[in-house]
């Protein structure tokens, strides 16, 4: 699915809905309080990439205007049901995070929960997210990340990577996502690392954090591809 073009909602897409429903329940049970704290300050327009079945919606403050970009159409019905259950207005689009279709500097925050492990090109995706964020806007993330280099776990993550990517929608167990965020020109504001809720050894550790798009003009990222403002 990831970045390769829009697939119809086939068996594989529906399998990921089933999987995500269970995975999200597990994460929310263990990390719900962290998510609530992390999302508490979100205001204005919040773009969530890869929202899946909508597990983040329950933790978002009511003041935030939520726009979601989810490529898997099979995720849309459960997400919309969740929004309805919560009485939340949402603007859900089908699309990939590397090509949001949003204008420059048009969102106040971007939210990514367990998505940057799966995008095909993290640098291009992060450049796009930086482009759509207003200066001073924040990227809020919860991601599983690579184990430290030189550890047995890191080696195991590399060994299982091909099969893991195939089985789990291009998920990379050994992605250095925090470094990629900083390389894309974001300033680190907060970062916590911790093992994570799953009993699966390859999907740890996790990072939860906030990174800011700097105010100053910088040559990194932000290709300034102005586009019409769909739905805004
Ligand atoms: C592991 S699930 C996480 C779902 C949700 N964010 C959560 O925390 O419960 C990954 C989600 O990212 C979506 N996804 C995969 N590649 C993507 C891409 N390139 N751009 C945006 N979303 C993507 C998948 O369809 C899926 O919904």
């Amino acid at each position: 699915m990831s970045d390769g073009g829009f697939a119809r909602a086939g068996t594989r897409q529906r399998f990921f809905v089933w999987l995500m429903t269970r995975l999200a329940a597990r994460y929310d049970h263990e990390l719900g309080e962290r998510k609530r704290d992390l999302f508490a300050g979100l205001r204005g327009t919040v773009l969530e990439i890869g929202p899946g079945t909508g597990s983040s919606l329950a933790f978002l403050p009511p003041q935030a205007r939520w726009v979601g970009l989810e490529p898997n159409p099979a995720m849309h019905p459960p997400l919309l049901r969740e929004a309805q259950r919560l009485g939340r207005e949402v603007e859900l689009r089908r699309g990939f995070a590397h090509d949001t279709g949003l204008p420059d500097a048009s969102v106040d925050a971007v939210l990514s929960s367990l998505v940057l492990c799966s995008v095909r090109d993290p640098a291009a995706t992060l450049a796009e997210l930086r482009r759509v964020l207003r200066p001073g806007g924040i990227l809020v993330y919860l991601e599983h990340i690579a184990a430290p280099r030189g550890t047995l776990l890191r080696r195991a993550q590399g060994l299982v990577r091909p099969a893991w990517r195939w089985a789990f929608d291009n998920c990379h167990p050994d992605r250095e996502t925090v470094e990629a965020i900083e390389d894309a020109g974001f300033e680190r504001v907060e970062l916590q690392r911790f093992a994570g809720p799953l009993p699966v050894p390859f999907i740890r550790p996790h990072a939860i954090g906030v990174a800011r798009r700097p105010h100053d003009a910088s040559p990194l990222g932000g290709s300034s591809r102005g586009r019409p403002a769909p739905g805004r």
Side-chain angles (χ1 to χ4, degrees):
M1 155 75 57
S2 307
D3 304 22
F6 289 123
R8 271 199 297 270
T11 312
R12 212 169 152 72
Q13 277 69 41
R14 287 195 293 272
F15 165 71
F16 289 126
V17 172
W18 176 86
L19 186 67
M20 272 324 304
T21 308
R22 273 135 199 90
L23 200 65
R26 178 87 191 222
Y27 271 83
D28 290 350
H29 180 68
E30 302 276 335
L31 299 179
E33 281 313 305
R34 281 189 209 240
K35 279 174 95 165
R36 201 179 302 284
D37 287 351
L38 189 69
F39 300 172
L42 292 174
R43 297 287 183 276
T45 300
V46 177
L47 169 67
E48 180 167 5
I49 59 167
T53 54
S55 65
S56 294
L57 290 175
F59 301 100
L60 275 188
Q63 299 89 333
R65 170 181 171 254
W66 186 91
V67 180
L69 198 59
E70 171 54 59
N72 181 351
M75 299 282 186
H76 289 206
L79 189 153
L80 293 172
R81 279 197 298 276
E82 174 66 355
Q84 196 172 31
R85 186 185 74 79
L86 296 166
R88 254 209 109 94
E89 265 187 43
V90 295
E91 183 179 330
L92 179 60
R93 299 161 181 225
R94 193 173 173 194
F96 293 104
H98 69 273
D99 187 15
T100 62
L102 295 173
D104 291 356
S106 58
V107 306
D108 298 285
V110 172
L111 179 55
S112 175
S113 167
L114 307 173
V115 179
L116 291 172
C117 55
S118 297
V119 301
R120 185 189 288 175
D121 184 340
T125 298
L126 287 161
E128 172 69 355
L129 300 182
R130 197 184 134 155
R131 181 186 71 76
V132 300
L133 271 172
R134 65 167 170 77
I138 53 173
L139 167 64
V140 171
Y141 59 92
L142 162 60
E143 299 285 346
H144 65 82
I145 55 172
R149 283 172 191 248
T151 60
L152 200 60
L153 177 54
R154 177 62 177 267
R155 200 171 147 69
Q157 288 176 332
L159 289 173
V160 300
R161 187 197 317 122
W164 200 270
R165 286 181 59 194
W166 179 84
F168 300 113
D169 199 17
N170 203 42
C171 173
H172 291 62
D174 57 349
R175 202 160 250 182
E176 296 186 330
T177 298
V178 175
E179 291 77 359
I181 292 171
E182 289 175 355
D183 289 350
F186 285 90
E187 285 169 359
R188 182 189 295 184
V189 180
E190 280 174 47
L191 172 65
Q192 291 172 23
R193 290 177 209 260
F194 54 96
L198 296 185
V200 187
F202 308 120
I203 301 301
R204 59 182 51 208
H206 285 66
I208 193 165
V210 180
R212 189 182 301 283
R213 177 187 163 174
H215 281 276
D216 54 332
S218 146
L220 281 169
S223 60
S224 200
R225 287 174 287 153
R227 302 208 181 116
R232 284 177 56 88

